[in-house]
Amino acid sequence: MAKEGQAEEARSRSSEIDALKSAAALAIRSGKPSIAVQNLRRVVALDNQDASAWLNLAASLRAVSEPAAAIDAVNSAIALNPRHFLALLLKGSLEEQQGERHKAARTYGAALTQLPPDDRMDEPTRRAVIKARSVHHAYTTELQSFVLQEVGLGDPSANSEARKVSLFVDAILGKRRIFRQQPTAFEFPGLPAIEFYERSEFAWLSTLEAATPVFQRELAKVMAHDEGFEPYVAYPDGAPLDQWQDLNRSRRWTAFHFYHYGRRYPANCGRCPETVALLAQLPQPQVAGRMPAAMFSVLRANTRIPPHTGVANVRLVVHLPLVVPPGCGFRVGNETREWKVGEAWVFDDTIEHEAWNDSDEDRVVLIFDIWNPRLSASERSMIAEVMSAMDRFNEVSLSPESQL
């Protein structure tokens, strides 16, 4: 009998709650928020674990100009579901209404991390999101300026330390996405994820750049006949192409290889002897069937290379632009740069990167790999031995078509 009584009491409570919610909903639709408040207060008194009821109560309290009580109610909803998007959005709005601009901006920031797809938001919610973004952006911009001024950073481009601190602040404020190394095959532990390396780490860069006319002269000779260039993306039939579908075996991105996965191209090297001689002076990795790589890379007009990551973080990639029409660009992680003829850079290709040529002319860059300078001589030797041993065990003979 006791159990039956308890069950009956639970059913009665549930029915009462449903009736109160219905009455509250009708009051809200009828523009009578004070009645909605009365009913919803009774709902949460009967069931204080209903986050939606607390949220509706908060909205109704706001409508009757009880902001302090509204914040208490919305906090109860958030306590039950800390990631409740609408509750966070409402709380931010209430805090803004109370003049607590910084607090509102932080709450809005939390709400924006829980943003649902646009097609799941009604028009009032979309407008509230636009407001939340505006307030949060203004806050982070002001905070960034204040912090940089307080620490006396000055111009972030003045030196590498200032630039790193500026990027550090950007990351804290969510203005900068954190990109990780994502090598498709080989990841050596302890190597930093640096998008573009500082020039100071490579004393030979200026010598390389000074040789730009040499590279351009030999490039012009080979391009005059268009022989020796082959599609850079060349997967065999049946391979999963993913983002490479459009460029597979395409002449829109071609390479004049000097070395590709450690394989030397004698005919191409013979046609560009000065280029090959200069490359021989650089710290290119030597791993049979794997490295080095060196080429003239031709990106045809109106062609884009999709975002992707490279094979191994033990190497870095060098670009020396030789022919660059307007409308070309290159992104590694967060940083986008324009190629400038004769100005080289070094980047980590295991961080997501992409390139584009939106012009009506060809873009040509000398590209080659080098050992990551953070590796010791003994580490380089052991890495080469590990890769070679794996290939011997698997009896792998890598071809240019085997991987990017």
Side-chain angles (χ1 to χ4, degrees):
M1 293 294 292
K3 289 184 179 180
E4 291 179 2
Q6 291 173 353
E8 179 60 31
E9 182 180 348
R11 285 192 294 270
S12 176
R13 179 188 293 261
S14 178
S15 296
E16 183 180 1
I17 288 173
D18 290 343
L20 290 167
K21 285 182 176 180
S22 296
L26 177 60
I28 291 170
R29 290 195 300 271
S30 303
K32 299 176 180 178
S34 59
I35 296 176
V37 168
Q38 294 173 16
N39 285 287
L40 288 167
R41 276 181 166 154
R42 291 171 63 189
V43 169
V44 297
L46 292 168
D47 179 9
N48 63 5
Q49 298 300 301
D50 189 334
S52 294
W54 282 113
L55 179 60
N56 289 333
L57 175 59
S60 299
L61 286 165
R62 178 182 184 177
V64 297
S65 300
E66 294 189 37
I71 287 180
D72 288 341
V74 81
N75 281 337
S76 294
I78 293 170
L80 293 169
N81 182 358
R83 295 184 175 87
H84 198 302
F85 165 67
L86 290 175
L88 291 166
L89 195 62
L90 176 58
K91 182 178 179 180
S93 179
L94 288 164
E95 290 169 337
E96 186 183 4
Q97 183 181 337
Q98 294 290 90
E100 299 182 273
R101 191 166 58 91
H102 288 178
K103 187 182 290 187
R106 292 193 295 271
T107 303
Y108 278 145
L112 293 172
T113 66
Q114 307 301 318
L115 197 65
D118 191 65
D119 59 4
R120 289 175 52 192
M121 293 187 289
D122 57 22
E123 187 56 33
T125 303
R126 279 192 284 269
R127 289 197 299 269
V129 167
I130 292 172
K131 179 65 178 299
R133 283 178 172 149
S134 175
V135 172
H136 185 258
H137 176 74
Y139 164 77
T140 55
T141 300
E142 290 174 16
L143 177 56
Q144 179 185 42
S145 177
F146 176 82
V147 170
L148 296 181
Q149 185 175 357
E150 286 291 298
V151 299
L153 188 62
D155 182 5
S157 64
N159 56 68
S160 61
E161 289 82 5
R163 181 174 178 276
K164 288 177 183 177
V165 173
S166 178
L167 293 176
F168 171 60
V169 174
D170 285 347
I172 294 171
L173 298 180
K175 289 178 170 286
R176 178 175 183 267
R177 179 181 164 192
I178 305 300
F179 283 88
R180 310 293 183 188
Q181 291 177 324
Q182 295 180 294
T184 59
F186 301 100
E187 181 172 14
F188 193 81
L191 295 178
I194 300 173
E195 294 160 347
F196 289 93
Y197 274 66
E198 296 293 334
R199 290 178 57 90
S200 58
E201 293 199 49
F202 311 97
W204 43 266
L205 265 185
S206 56
T207 301
L208 176 76
E209 291 169 334
T212 297
V214 174
F215 302 130
Q216 289 175 318
R217 183 171 61 250
E218 294 194 330
L219 169 67
K221 289 180 181 179
V222 299
M223 290 195 73
H225 301 285
D226 198 27
E227 296 175 358
F229 290 87
E230 57 187 56
Y232 185 73
V233 182
Y235 281 105
D237 291 338
L241 296 178
D242 299 323
Q243 76 267 43
W244 301 112
Q245 179 75 47
D246 291 341
L247 284 177
N248 192 40
R249 305 180 192 175
S250 170
R251 303 291 298 181
R252 288 182 293 146
W253 183 18
T254 59
F256 186 87
H257 293 292
F258 302 109
Y259 296 93
H260 195 34
Y261 292 102
R263 170 190 169 193
R264 187 174 187 271
Y265 283 60
N268 290 355
C269 290
R271 293 170 65 187
C272 301
E274 291 183 89
T275 297
V276 173
L278 285 163
L279 289 171
Q281 301 173 27
L282 303 175
Q284 286 202 272
Q286 303 290 328
V287 182
R290 295 284 181 180
M291 299 180 282
M295 62 176 170
F296 290 142
S297 171
V298 181
L299 191 62
R300 303 295 181 185
N302 300 300
T303 300
R304 300 184 74 89
I305 300 172
H308 63 288
T309 58
V311 175
N313 69 341
V314 299
R315 69 174 189 187
L316 300 178
V317 177
V318 182
H319 280 189
L320 177 65
L322 303 177
V323 178
V324 185
C328 295
F330 186 67
R331 177 186 67 84
V332 183
N334 287 286
E335 188 168 350
T336 298
R337 294 186 177 183
E338 292 183 9
W339 287 287
K340 295 181 181 179
V341 171
E343 295 184 16
W345 62 51
V346 183
F347 71 97
D348 183 343
D349 78 333
T350 66
I351 297 173
E352 182 187 273
H353 58 286
E354 61 181 324
W356 54 92
N357 177 3
D358 292 337
S359 77
D360 295 323
E361 304 172 46
D362 292 342
R363 178 240 63 184
V364 188
V365 176
L366 172 64
I367 299 178
F368 58 92
D369 56 6
I370 59 171
W371 279 115
N372 189 308
R374 308 298 172 86
L375 295 169
S376 68
S378 60
E379 285 173 332
R380 296 176 186 184
S381 177
M382 287 185 285
I383 288 167
E385 290 175 8
V386 166
M387 290 182 175
S388 296
M390 291 176 65
D391 290 342
R392 287 196 302 273
F393 180 84
N394 292 312
E395 298 181 348
V396 173
S397 178
L398 294 176
S399 68
E401 294 77 26
S402 63
Q403 57 182 312
L404 283 176

